[in-house]
Amino acid sequence: MTATGASKPVEDDEAEAACPKLPLKPQVVRIEVLGDEKVGKTSLICSLVSRHFSEKVPSVLLNVQIPAEESDENVVISITDTSSRVSDLMRVTHAVKHSDAILLVYDLTRPETFQRLRRWLNFIAKNKEIPVVLVANKVDINAVTPTSDGTYASQVRHLVNTYPFVVSEVECSAKNFTQVAQAFFLAQKAVIYPVAPLYNEKKRQLQPKCLKAIKRIFRLYNRDRSGILSREELNEYQYDCFGVRLVSTEIDTLMEYLLSEVPSGVAPDRSGLLVDGFIYLWWLFIDRNRPESGWQVLRSLGYNNELHLEIPPERLQLPPHDEDQSAQLTPSAVEFLTHLFRQFDANKDNNIAESEIEAIFSICEEESAPWTTCSAIPSPLLFERTVVDGKPTLSLAAWLACWSFVAQENPPKLLETLFYLGYNDKLFPAIDFVRKRSATRHAAKIERDVISCYIFGSPSSGKEHFVRTFAGYKDASCADDEQSIIRSIGAVPDQDTTKYLFITEALSDDEIESNADVLLLVLNPEDEPSKVFVEELDKKLPDSIPRVVISYKPKVCKKDVEDSEKGTTDSSALVPDEPSDFAIDALLKQYSTSLKCFEPHCVKGEAARVLVATALRPYVSYAVF
C-alpha cells in the first residue's frame, strides 16, 4: 500500500487487466435505519432517494433498494425503515438480525433521543453486533443537544469507545440534504471495507490475520527473494493492485518519509522497502481510516472478509491420473523450493533452523510444515536432522525429501501450500505423475524420483530400529508406541541423480500392490522367529514387486538394557557385536538381492542405495556379504 496521489495513470485496458474485479466483497448491503419516534428516520431515506424533502412522509417506508449502477461501489443498497412502537419490536429485532449495518438516528433538538442511544446500542449488542453509524439529524436547526454530565462531544466519544461496533458518527439534515448521502455511505463503507478484521482500534495495532496476509503479500512481490522489496517490485505491486505506477520522485519521497518514521523499514542504500516498512504503510493507511485501500489489495489476491485466502479451485486441480500413479515435484517446483530454502538460510551454511522453518510457513493458514499435517496417518514422518550449534536443523537434501513426501502423500496439500508461498503453478506446474506401476512392473528400467519402499519384519527383527537409523537418529531406540506406523524419508544418491527413499509399513495388501516400488524384508540374524517370518512372508508377497532381504543387527535399545539389568529381558535380545552365521549366508543367497547390515552408515549408505537401485533396475541382482 503506497501513496498514489500523483501517479501516472495507465491505459484503461491495462488497468482492467492489472486490477481484477473484486468478487469477494459483498454484492448487497442491507442497512437498517433505527431510532426513537419522530427523529427523522423516514425523512432521511426519502431525502436520499428522491433528493426532495417533504413534511408529510409515511410512518414507515417499505423496503427501499438502490440499484448497483447508482452505487459508488457497484453494490445493491437495501434500506429498511423501522417503527419505534413496542408492538413492532419483534419485526425490528428480525430486521437487526438480517442487516449488515445500522444507522442509529437521534434528534439534535430533543436531548432525550440522545440519552436513549445507550438503550438502542444495548439492544443491538444483544441481537447482533454489526457496524453502527450514529446519525445526529436536524443539524439545520443549529441546535446542540444539552446534557447533564459533560459536553455533547465528549459523550459521543464515550459511546464510540464503549461500543466497539459504533464505527462513526455524522451530523446531517434530511431537510436540506446535508451529509445525508454521507451517512449511508459510511454504513456502506463499514460493510464493504470493515476495519475490525484488519485493525484493533483500541490498541492501534494490525490484527494477527491481517499481519500474516501483509507479510505474505510482501513475499509474493519480493520476486528475487532478497528480503528487500526493490523499487521495481514496489511498482509491480502498485500497478497490479491499484492500476497506477509510481514515478521515481514519489518513491524517493516515500523512502524519505519511512526513514523518518521507521528506519528499520528501508534498505540501507534506499534501494527498496524491508518488511517493517511495508507493514508500516499498511498500518498508516488503516489508522488514517483508509481501509478500502487495504481491502482492494486483499480482495485482488483472493482474501475474503474473514481474511481467509480463497484459493481458486483450478489451482488445486490435479492432472488426470490412475490410482497406481504417484505424484512428484517438477524441476520448476524443486527450483522454487531450493530458492526458498536459501532465502531463509540466514548464515548460508546449507541448513535451516526450526525458527527459520517457522518463518517460512508463518504466512500459511496452518503455519506449520505440510509434512507434519498432510497425512491421514497420525504417526510422524521421520527424517534426518543436522545438529548445528547444539540445535537440530534441516539440510537442503532433507528439505526437498520432506516436500517430495508431501507430493506423494497428499498432492492437493502440496498445491495449497505452494499457493500460499507464492508459487505460480499456472505458468509452471508443480507436480507431475509418473507412469503407472502396473505398466512398469516388468520394465528393465524405471524412472521416478520418489521410491516407495514397504518394510516387513517380525517384532524382533529390528525393522523399527532400521527405519530410525535411516532417518539419522543416533539413538535409534525402540519406539514408545509399538502400534504406530513407522515412516521415514531421505535423500539417496543414485548414479548421477538424487532420489528420495520413502520407507513405510503397509496398512493393507491393496496398498502394496498399487503403491510399492520395492519391498524390504528385515531379519535379525540372532532371532530364529524373524528368519522364519521372512521365509514365510516371501512366499505370500507379489512376485511382480522387487524385494531386498537384509540381515540387520540393531544396537540394543536402552529400555532393553535396563530390563536386562533387572533380569526381565530375553537374552536373545542382546545381540553380540559380530554375528557369524553360515546359515544366514545360505539363507540370503536364496534371494536375488540381499545384504548384511550391521552399522548405521550401512543403513544410510549401502542399504539405501541397494533399495533404490533395486526399485529402478529390478532385473539387476545385488548381493552384499
Side-chain angles (χ1 to χ4, degrees):
M1 197 174 309
T2 56
T4 60
S7 302
K8 178 183 177 181
V10 296
E11 298 297 327
D12 290 345
D13 55 346
E14 287 182 322
E16 186 176 354
C19 298
K21 294 181 180 180
L22 310 179
L24 299 175
K25 75 178 182 181
Q27 300 302 298
V28 179
V29 176
R30 299 171 180 83
I31 301 174
E32 181 182 13
V33 184
L34 206 61
D36 283 356
E37 189 176 6
K38 297 187 182 301
V39 294
K41 301 187 295 294
T42 305
S43 294
L44 283 171
I45 300 172
C46 290
S47 292
L48 175 74
V49 175
S50 66
R51 305 295 178 183
H52 171 74
F53 177 76
S54 174
E55 295 288 350
K56 294 183 179 180
V57 294
S59 57
V60 178
L61 284 175
L62 296 175
N63 185 267
V64 174
Q65 287 207 349
I66 299 175
E69 54 269 21
E70 296 183 20
S71 164
D72 293 337
E73 294 291 342
N74 197 33
V75 296
V76 175
I77 306 297
S78 177
I79 303 172
T80 301
D81 194 8
T82 59
S83 167
S84 304
R85 292 176 299 190
V86 176
S87 58
D88 292 327
L89 183 61
M90 291 297 293
R91 194 173 72 85
V92 173
T93 301
H94 180 270
V96 169
K97 291 180 178 179
H98 290 81
S99 297
D100 301 311
I102 291 174
L103 292 188
L104 182 53
V105 185
Y106 61 98
D107 185 343
L108 279 171
T109 67
R110 295 165 55 204
E112 68 276 12
T113 64
F114 177 79
Q115 298 301 324
R116 281 198 287 268
L117 287 180
R118 189 178 295 273
R119 184 195 67 177
W120 282 109
L121 291 169
N122 289 334
F123 168 76
I124 294 168
K126 181 180 178 181
N127 287 281
K128 182 183 179 183
E129 288 194 10
I130 54 178
V132 172
V133 177
L134 299 181
V135 180
N137 194 22
K138 304 184 183 180
V139 71
D140 56 288
I141 301 178
N142 199 27
V144 177
T145 303
T147 60
S148 58
D149 51 347
T151 65
Y152 164 66
S154 66
Q155 287 203 50
V156 171
R157 284 196 300 271
H158 179 70
L159 286 175
V160 172
N161 293 333
T162 303
Y163 298 91
F165 51 88
V166 176
V167 294
S168 54
E169 67 278 349
V170 62
E171 294 183 350
C172 66
S173 169
K175 187 172 185 177
N176 60 19
F177 317 124
T178 302
Q179 298 214 97
V180 172
Q182 177 69 5
F184 286 91
F185 171 76
L186 290 172
Q188 170 189 293
K189 177 182 175 181
V191 176
I192 299 176
Y193 305 116
V195 173
L198 308 181
Y199 190 64
N200 185 319
E201 293 188 270
K202 284 189 175 180
K203 296 181 179 179
R204 297 187 70 193
Q205 292 178 352
L206 294 168
Q207 299 283 23
K209 280 188 175 182
C210 180
L211 193 58
K212 180 194 293 189
I214 294 169
K215 290 179 179 179
R216 177 175 177 268
I217 294 167
F218 179 89
R219 204 183 295 179
L220 291 181
Y221 280 92
N222 183 208
R223 313 286 195 196
D224 62 4
R225 303 180 186 88
S226 63
I228 300 173
L229 196 67
S230 69
R231 290 169 176 251
E232 293 76 16
E233 291 168 339
L234 180 62
N235 247 333
E236 285 184 38
Y237 162 78
Q238 177 76 10
Y239 174 68
D240 286 351
C241 298
F242 301 106
V244 292
R245 299 189 189 279
L246 297 175
V247 297
S248 179
T249 54
E250 288 177 317
I251 297 179
D252 290 338
T253 302
L254 178 65
M255 296 293 177
E256 289 290 341
Y257 173 75
L258 286 175
L259 275 173
S260 66
E261 296 295 323
V262 52
S264 63
V266 180
D269 58 357
R270 303 187 186 185
S271 60
L273 298 183
L274 301 177
V275 67
D276 286 349
F278 191 69
I279 292 171
Y280 180 80
L281 285 176
W282 275 74
W283 176 88
L284 187 65
F285 270 68
I286 299 171
D287 186 67
R288 293 184 178 179
N289 200 26
R290 292 275 306 277
E292 60 272 19
S293 298
W295 279 115
Q296 183 172 344
V297 176
L298 290 165
R299 288 179 178 137
S300 71
L301 294 173
Y303 288 91
N304 63 18
N305 268 18
E306 287 72 43
L307 290 185
H308 173 72
L309 183 61
E310 295 189 356
I311 304 176
E314 64 271 15
R315 300 297 292 271
L316 301 179
Q317 189 171 358
L318 300 176
H321 63 281
D322 292 320
E323 185 179 352
D324 63 345
Q325 287 182 276
S326 59
Q328 63 184 27
L329 298 169
T330 60
S332 57
V334 171
E335 182 182 7
F336 172 84
L337 293 170
T338 301
H339 284 308
L340 185 64
F341 178 94
R342 299 200 187 286
Q343 177 186 350
F344 283 85
D345 180 11
N347 55 6
K348 307 305 176 187
D349 64 348
N350 215 34
N351 292 286
I352 51 175
E354 291 289 343
S355 59
E356 292 166 335
I357 295 174
E358 290 174 3
I360 290 174
F361 297 109
S362 64
I363 63 173
C364 298
E365 184 79 8
E366 294 182 343
E367 298 188 24
S368 57
W371 49 86
T372 65
T373 59
C374 70
S375 178
I377 300 174
S379 303
L381 177 70
L382 305 180
F383 49 88
E384 186 169 10
R385 299 174 186 270
T386 306
V387 177
V388 177
D389 296 331
K391 296 181 179 179
T393 64
L394 203 63
S395 68
L396 177 60
W399 164 262
L400 293 176
C402 290
W403 279 102
S404 297
F405 167 75
V406 179
Q408 179 164 279
E409 186 77 3
N410 192 337
K413 180 68 175 180
L414 173 81
L415 296 180
E416 176 188 317
T417 307
L418 288 178
F419 185 88
Y420 270 100
L421 296 176
Y423 182 77
N424 189 350
D425 64 338
K426 290 179 70 175
L427 296 177
F428 308 102
I431 60 173
D432 58 23
F433 284 87
V434 297
R435 287 184 64 196
K436 297 195 300 181
R437 287 185 172 87
S438 58
T440 59
R441 286 300 185 204
H442 302 289
K445 186 177 181 181
I446 300 168
E447 294 292 338
R448 65 178 73 243
D449 293 335
V450 182
I451 310 303
S452 292
C453 170
Y454 282 77
I455 188 170
F456 302 89
S458 68
S460 56
S461 65
K463 62 179 180 179
E464 292 89 354
H465 192 284
F466 182 95
V467 176
R468 294 173 71 84
T469 301
F470 172 70
Y473 284 63
K474 291 185 178 180
D475 179 17
S477 55
C478 297
D480 293 333
D481 184 3
E482 296 181 357
Q483 301 301 317
S484 64
I485 300 297
I486 191 163
R487 304 179 300 166
S488 177
I489 195 165
V492 178
D494 179 69
Q495 297 181 344
D496 296 329
T497 63
T498 297
K499 304 298 183 183
Y500 300 101
L501 179 61
F502 173 51
I503 304 178
T504 183
E505 294 178 285
L507 294 175
S508 68
D509 293 342
D510 292 339
E511 178 186 3
I512 298 170
E513 187 65 45
S514 61
N515 296 342
D517 297 311
V518 63
L519 307 178
L520 170 58
L521 284 65
V522 180
L523 60 87
N524 185 332
E526 298 294 325
D527 184 75
E528 192 63 30
S530 75
K531 302 174 193 176
V532 175
F533 181 90
V534 166
E535 289 182 287
E536 293 297 322
L537 183 64
D538 180 60
K539 300 173 184 177
K540 300 176 182 177
L541 292 172
D543 292 333
S544 59
I545 306 175
R547 67 203 62 189
V548 176
V549 177
I550 292 182
S551 173
Y552 181 62
K553 185 205 73 169
K555 291 184 178 180
V556 182
C557 296
K558 288 183 177 180
K559 179 177 180 296
D560 289 339
V561 173
E562 293 171 357
D563 290 343
S564 176
E565 291 172 351
K566 298 175 183 178
T568 58
T569 301
D570 190 331
S571 61
S572 64
L574 302 176
V575 183
D577 289 339
E578 299 250 354
S580 177
D581 190 343
F582 293 108
I584 291 294
D585 293 346
L587 175 62
L588 294 179
K589 287 179 180 178
Q590 299 177 25
Y591 306 99
S592 60
T593 303
S594 59
L595 70 153
K596 290 181 179 179
C597 188
F598 299 146
E599 298 294 335
H601 66 81
C602 174
V603 174
K604 297 169 62 177
E606 193 168 28
R609 288 194 295 271
V610 167
L611 287 167
V612 169
T614 302
L616 299 179
R617 297 174 289 279
Y619 290 101
V620 178
S621 298
Y622 302 89
V624 184
F625 297 101

